[in-house]
Amino acid sequence: MKAWLGKVVSVVSLAKKEGVVDLNYVEVYKSVLDFYRKYSKVENTDKYWENVIDESEQISRKYNKQKFVVDLLVSVISELERKGKELMSDEVKNE
């Protein structure tokens, strides 16, 4: 039990050094979810993707480019790209 507790304390200490503990995770998840909802209807246009990148950068900066936030945004953008590719594939099939 003591060995496990020591590992937890080490992780928390490392997180404090990196500023992660001060991150409001509920706020982050809400920001990223709102971002996803806003762009979930994928459009394969340059303007759409410019807006996706611009807003993701704004969210990242809002949270001081914390790795956790950046990783969430990358996951959402990857999902949007997957949906975009699927949309293009469907359009090609229907031609």
Side-chain angles (χ1 to χ4, degrees):
M1 180 72 162
K2 288 184 180 182
W4 178 80
L5 184 58
K7 289 180 182 178
V8 170
V9 170
S10 295
V11 169
V12 170
S13 296
L14 177 62
K16 284 182 180 177
K17 286 180 186 174
E18 295 180 3
V20 174
V21 173
D22 297 326
L23 194 59
N24 182 334
Y25 287 92
V26 173
E27 184 181 309
V28 169
Y29 277 117
K30 183 177 180 330
S31 294
V32 174
L33 179 59
D34 290 345
F35 169 74
Y36 173 76
R37 286 178 175 159
K38 182 175 181 178
Y39 294 103
S40 63
K41 186 178 178 198
V42 176
E43 300 170 18
N44 284 319
T45 65
D46 289 341
K47 185 65 176 165
Y48 169 86
W49 290 107
E50 288 170 11
N51 290 338
V52 166
I53 298 305
D54 289 346
E55 190 163 335
S56 67
E57 288 174 351
Q58 289 172 11
I59 294 168
S60 176
R61 281 193 303 275
K62 177 180 178 182
Y63 297 104
N64 299 316
K65 299 184 181 183
Q66 292 276 350
K67 183 174 178 359
F68 177 74
V69 177
V70 171
D71 288 348
L72 283 176
L73 290 167
V74 167
S75 294
V76 167
I77 292 169
S78 294
E79 174 63 7
L80 296 175
E81 287 178 338
R82 184 196 65 76
K83 290 173 75 173
K85 289 176 184 175
E86 190 175 277
L87 180 64
M88 286 179 14
S89 176
D90 290 345
E91 289 171 357
V92 168
K93 287 178 187 176
N94 292 330
E95 287 182 353

